[in-house]
């Protein structure tokens, strides 16, 4: 029977690989669980997964060249996430190990959090609630409505499209910049140059993919071009935003506030110093942390393991042409 090592710590399993997908995984493979409290990596991960054919890895567990070099039985490294930036795919390919990724089942979850953060920033929900929690006088403040305001969305992927749909329901004006995947003619949604996005957005929501080109794309130049009192909401990738420039924009008053679910801290969490600011709303990378979203991606890996066990190349394969170990394993089984 196919043997699988699940890298999630007990705490991580509670949120990201719960009872239902774990039971389903055990139906198609013999499963070994990681019982430690910290993520594994390198040779330690290979040692823990010794004798296993597949590693099913949470997003905090990197797939390094050292792991692939020290895991002779490993056929596949399956990521329970879309992001495979911490997997050394060339090293896996050189070792003949298949790499897979999950599909984005978190679109609604992240998009809904984006709207919630926009409302929080616009109405000062977190600081007012925090004052009550501290038994301090909350005072009052004038808020901002979403209706008739402009949301500037950077990127036009699945999450961006869902955020745009929700923004239209709030009667917002929607501007989008994506030079590689511009929006089609959709009523209420306008494709604009980047400078116009900066200048006209009341709420700036970067949802672009992370590439060398988009690293720190929301930086000093963008903040200087934005209108006074604009608000930033980042739920995509921490590296899209230059955090030094963001701090300066918040200090100088160019930005009235920012909300972030991602940043430069470990596991893509917000930087603690930024998160502690009174004009920042921060959450610890929880955009996809709903039962529906987590189970979607966990079940993707169950289906991938089932396909491998059945002798099929799984959906989500990143380097299928290089999966020599897997093909050899299938061939050996067929000749028994």
């Amino acid at each position: 029977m196919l043997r699988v090592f699940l890298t999630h710590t007990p705490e991580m399993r509670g949120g990201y690989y719960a009872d239902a997908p774990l039971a389903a995984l055990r139906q198609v493979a013999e499963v070994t669980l990681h019982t430690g409290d910290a993520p594994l990596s390198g040779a330690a991960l290979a040692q823990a997964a010794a004798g296993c054919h597949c590693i099913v890895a949470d997003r905090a567990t990197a797939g390094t060249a050292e792991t692939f070099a020290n895991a002779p039985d490993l056929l596949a490294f399956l990521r329970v996430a879309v992001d495979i930036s911490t997997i050394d795919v060339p090293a896996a390919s050189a070792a003949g190990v298949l790499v897979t990724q999950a599909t984005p089942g978190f679109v609604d979850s992240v998009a809904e959090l984006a709207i919630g953060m926009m409302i929080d920033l616009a109405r000062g929900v977190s600081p007012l609630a925090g004052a009550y929690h501290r038994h301090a006088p909350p005072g009052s403040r004038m808020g901002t409505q979403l209706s008739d305001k402009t949301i500037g969305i950077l990127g036009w992927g699945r999450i961006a499209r869902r955020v745009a749909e929700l923004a239209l329901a709030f009667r917002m004006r929607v501007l989008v910049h994506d030079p590689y995947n511009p929006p089609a003619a959709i009523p209420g949604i306008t494709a604009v140059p980047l400078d116009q996005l900066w200048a006209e957005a009341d709420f700036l929501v970067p949802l672009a993919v992370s590439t060398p080109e988009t690293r720190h794309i929301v930086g000093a130049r963008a903040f200087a071009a934005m209108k006074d009192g604009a608000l930033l909401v980042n739920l995509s990738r921490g590296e899209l935003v230059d955090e030094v420039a963001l701090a300066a924009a918040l200090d100088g008053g160019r930005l009235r506030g920012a909300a972030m679910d991602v940043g430069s801290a470990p596991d893509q969490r917000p930087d603690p110093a930024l998160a502690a600011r009174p004009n920042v709303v921060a959450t610890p990378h929880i955009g996809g942390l709903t039962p529906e979203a987590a189970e979607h991606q966990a079940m993707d890996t169950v289906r991938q393991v089932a396909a491998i066990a059945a002798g099929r190349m799984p959906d989500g394969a990143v380097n299928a042409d290089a999966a020599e170990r897997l093909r050899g394993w299938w061939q050996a089984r067929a000749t028994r």
Side-chain angles (χ1 to χ4, degrees):
M1 192 174 187
L2 199 69
R3 296 186 296 275
V4 171
F5 181 73
L6 186 66
T7 70
H8 299 58
T9 65
E11 180 183 4
M12 284 285 288
R13 287 199 299 276
Y16 292 95
Y17 221 101
D19 292 345
L22 181 56
L25 185 63
R26 284 176 164 150
Q27 290 294 313
V28 297
E30 178 184 325
V31 180
T32 299
L33 300 177
H34 174 35
T35 58
D37 295 328
L40 295 165
S41 64
L45 174 58
Q47 182 177 0
C52 291
H53 302 107
C54 300
I55 292 175
V56 175
D58 62 276
R59 68 189 187 197
T61 300
T64 67
E66 188 179 12
T67 298
F68 300 125
N70 287 279
D73 297 316
L74 186 63
L75 308 176
F77 192 98
L78 297 82
R79 171 55 57 77
V80 195
V82 176
D83 179 25
I84 57 169
S85 61
T86 60
I87 301 175
D88 190 335
V89 177
S93 297
V97 176
L98 177 71
V99 174
T100 73
Q101 61 189 152
T103 55
F106 46 73
V107 171
D108 285 341
S109 179
V110 175
E112 290 170 12
L113 181 59
I115 297 298
M117 284 182 155
M118 289 167 60
I119 294 172
D120 193 325
L121 286 176
R123 304 303 297 271
V125 175
S126 286
L128 292 174
Y132 276 117
H133 293 163
R134 296 188 304 272
H135 302 285
S140 62
R141 63 171 65 193
M142 186 66 68
T144 298
Q145 294 182 177
L146 268 59
S147 59
D148 299 322
K149 299 302 186 297
T150 298
I151 180 173
I153 302 175
L154 181 63
W156 193 239
R158 291 183 179 92
I159 296 173
R161 292 194 290 272
R162 182 62 178 144
V163 169
E165 290 175 0
L166 296 174
L168 288 174
F170 281 90
R171 300 197 306 275
M172 298 187 77
R173 175 178 176 239
V174 180
L175 304 182
V176 176
H177 176 79
D178 189 328
Y180 303 107
N181 181 35
I186 303 172
I189 297 175
T190 306
V192 298
L194 195 55
D195 288 343
Q196 185 177 350
L197 193 79
W198 303 148
E200 298 185 17
D202 296 297
F203 297 85
L204 178 64
V205 185
L207 290 168
V209 296
S210 176
T211 66
E213 181 183 4
T214 60
R215 177 176 172 78
H216 290 180
I217 189 171
V218 183
R221 178 176 173 272
F223 294 129
M226 292 173 68
K227 59 176 68 174
D228 287 336
L231 299 163
L232 172 72
V233 177
N234 186 18
L235 300 101
S236 181
R237 303 299 298 173
E239 54 267 24
L240 297 182
V241 177
D242 182 338
E243 293 181 343
V244 174
L246 171 57
L250 290 168
D251 286 339
R254 172 67 70 174
L255 281 186
R256 182 155 55 95
M260 57 190 73
D261 187 47
V262 293
S264 60
D267 194 26
Q268 276 281 320
R269 292 185 173 193
D271 172 71
L274 278 172
R277 288 171 171 255
N279 53 355
V280 169
V281 175
T283 49
H285 203 170
I286 62 164
L289 191 52
T290 62
E292 297 87 350
E295 184 167 311
H296 174 104
Q297 294 194 312
M299 289 304 299
D300 270 354
T301 61
V302 172
R303 287 184 284 270
Q304 290 167 351
V305 169
I308 289 171
R312 304 190 310 272
M313 188 60 67
D315 292 337
V318 173
N319 61 341
D321 291 345
E324 296 301 328
R325 289 189 189 179
L326 184 56
R327 276 185 279 272
W329 187 73
W330 285 336
Q331 185 175 10
R333 285 204 314 171
T335 57
R336 287 175 188 166

